[in-house]
Amino acid sequence: MTSHNMTWITYPSKNPAIITPEDIENIIASQNIISRLMHCYIAFFIPAGLLAGICILIVFIKNYVQNKVIENLDLLLLHFTISNIVMIFFSLTVITRPDYVTLTRLACNVLSFFFNFSYSNSQCVFTLALLILLLERFPPQTAFFKAIQRPILYVGIVLTYTFCLSLIEAVLVCTDNYHLQTDCQLDPLFAWPEYEIVKFTFAFAIPLFLQIICFAVLLAKKAPAEAPTLKWHIWTYVAVYVISVTMFACRLFYNIMILFRTTLKLQKSIGTIHDELVMNIAEIVLFCESCTSLVFIFCFHGPCKDEILKVIEKCRRNPPANDQLEIQETSTPRASQSR
């Protein structure tokens, strides 16, 4: 693979050739939009996502300690939750927007490696979760498929796959001038065009194709007579199916912008202020999806929903301490009068 000279590339908002008043007005308008979206994300989505993620971890760990066993789907969702929590922490790099984090190219590449590891992990492990639900509705008949139906094996395969993929993407970021300071995004602007192509193909397109196959089989294939109805099945695992739709919409938008940026690189163009704005919006939308996915798991997944109902029921049974004191105070004078 031949090396690419990416020293020419820069963000349109930082292009020194911008001198016209119209371009300056576009930059100011774009920065205002990004700043408002960033503040909205930090104020609402990050607290909700982290709180939901921590509660999910507590519920799963508590259930494992009590039962000494964890369901296949719960193990995969636990893996998915950890990956999304890590992605939320990486999303804190948007705090500096509308400006970018300034790092060396080496540090930016390392940051990109761990972000891509979490990103690919969440996508692939969720594909396995859909596969687990498919196998639950259509139990395998052969002994081979029954033998490999172990989530620990699946998790190991996902970790190996995502590590190798992230390593390849890190190599494709850039191999020159690691000591130079640069404006850093989690998907570096100075990466080779092959970086975006590999990421789109192996971290999004292939897992998405497998998810579409799972949905097609689920809807088209006739289930065994003893299997529950399709409506009951979807309602039981509504969290997984709602998350799959959310992930598809948000990550499709993000990956389309990734490919669009690749076409600009191949054309030796830095794009426009509007292109930079839409790319930043797509990045924030991706991070919002990580937060909302955790909220959906906490609100709709069976064990988490049962724990919420238990807490609500305890609150109803145990009145506040102030009410109890008021009852005691009102009953004491009556008792003294009777005496």
Side-chain angles (χ1 to χ4, degrees):
M1 181 181 297
T2 59
S3 178
H4 298 279
N5 181 13
M6 302 300 296
T7 56
W8 58 271
I9 198 165
T10 185
Y11 289 100
S13 60
K14 295 180 177 292
N15 186 7
I18 292 178
I19 54 175
T20 63
E22 184 181 356
D23 289 336
I24 295 175
E25 290 178 0
N26 290 335
I27 291 175
I28 294 174
S30 172
Q31 289 180 346
N32 285 335
I33 294 173
I34 290 299
S35 180
R36 291 175 183 178
L37 288 176
M38 180 270 295
H39 283 101
C40 180
Y41 170 69
I42 292 175
F44 299 105
F45 286 89
I46 287 182
L50 289 179
L51 181 62
I54 292 171
C55 292
I56 293 167
L57 294 180
I58 292 173
V59 170
F60 283 162
I61 293 173
K62 177 183 175 181
N63 289 344
Y64 178 75
V65 170
Q66 291 179 348
N67 305 322
K68 300 302 180 181
V69 66
I70 185 169
E71 299 292 334
N72 295 349
L73 180 61
D74 289 350
L75 178 62
L76 295 178
L77 290 181
L78 176 63
H79 188 172
F80 178 77
T81 299
I82 295 173
S83 298
N84 277 16
I85 290 175
V86 173
M87 282 187 63
I88 292 174
F89 282 118
F90 279 120
S91 72
L92 295 176
T93 55
V94 303
I95 291 178
T96 58
R97 300 292 165 83
D99 202 356
Y100 300 93
V101 178
T102 302
L103 297 172
T104 63
R105 290 196 171 191
L106 177 60
C108 188
N109 197 356
V110 172
L111 190 67
S112 176
F113 169 82
F114 287 106
F115 165 71
N116 284 324
F117 184 77
S118 301
Y119 171 86
S120 303
N121 241 325
S122 62
Q123 184 78 48
C124 295
V125 79
F126 195 78
T127 304
L128 285 180
L130 289 175
L131 179 61
I132 289 293
L133 295 185
L134 187 68
L135 292 177
E136 183 172 323
R137 182 162 175 80
F138 304 101
Q141 302 298 325
T142 62
F144 172 75
F145 283 106
K146 292 180 180 180
I148 65 172
Q149 198 174 351
R150 292 179 296 176
I152 295 295
L153 176 64
Y154 296 155
V155 170
I157 294 173
V158 167
L159 289 174
T160 304
Y161 175 80
T162 53
F163 176 81
C164 295
L165 179 59
S166 302
L167 197 60
I168 293 172
E169 291 169 347
V171 172
L172 295 175
V173 169
C174 191
T175 57
D176 301 324
N177 302 319
Y178 273 143
H179 62 285
L180 296 180
Q181 294 284 325
T182 185
D183 294 318
C184 181
Q185 272 184 297
L186 294 175
D187 285 304
L189 180 67
F190 56 87
W192 295 346
E194 290 86 352
Y195 167 85
E196 284 96 352
I197 295 172
V198 168
K199 181 169 183 174
F200 174 83
T201 304
F202 294 97
F204 177 72
I206 293 178
L208 177 62
F209 176 72
L210 296 176
Q211 290 179 22
I212 292 174
I213 291 178
C214 289
F215 273 106
V217 173
L218 181 68
L219 297 175
K221 187 177 180 181
K222 186 178 180 180
E226 65 275 8
T229 63
L230 179 61
K231 182 178 180 180
W232 186 91
H233 176 83
I234 294 177
W235 180 252
T236 303
Y237 303 107
V238 64
V240 178
Y241 295 113
V242 170
I243 292 172
S244 62
V245 175
T246 306
M247 287 182 66
F248 169 75
C250 297
R251 299 201 177 197
L252 179 64
F253 175 41
Y254 178 73
N255 280 272
I256 287 174
M257 293 309 303
I258 286 286
L259 288 184
F260 178 74
R261 194 169 73 174
T262 305
T263 60
L264 293 177
K265 290 180 181 180
L266 296 175
Q267 296 170 1
K268 297 292 182 180
S269 171
I270 64 172
T272 64
I273 301 296
H274 179 266
D275 298 334
E276 182 181 0
L277 170 63
V278 178
M279 184 65 215
N280 282 315
I281 292 175
E283 188 178 31
I284 295 176
V285 168
L286 174 70
F287 296 141
C288 291
E289 176 268 316
S290 298
C291 299
T292 53
S293 294
L294 296 180
V295 174
F296 286 148
I297 292 176
F298 180 64
C299 294
F300 298 119
H301 185 53
C304 300
K305 185 169 62 175
D306 293 341
E307 201 67 29
I308 294 174
L309 295 176
K310 287 180 183 178
V311 172
I312 295 175
E313 190 174 345
K314 285 182 180 179
C315 293
R316 288 179 176 177
R317 289 180 178 177
N318 300 327
N322 293 334
D323 295 345
Q324 293 180 354
L325 290 175
E326 291 178 359
I327 295 172
Q328 292 176 359
E329 289 176 358
T330 54
S331 61
T332 302
R334 294 178 182 175
S336 60
Q337 291 176 4
S338 61
R339 289 178 183 178

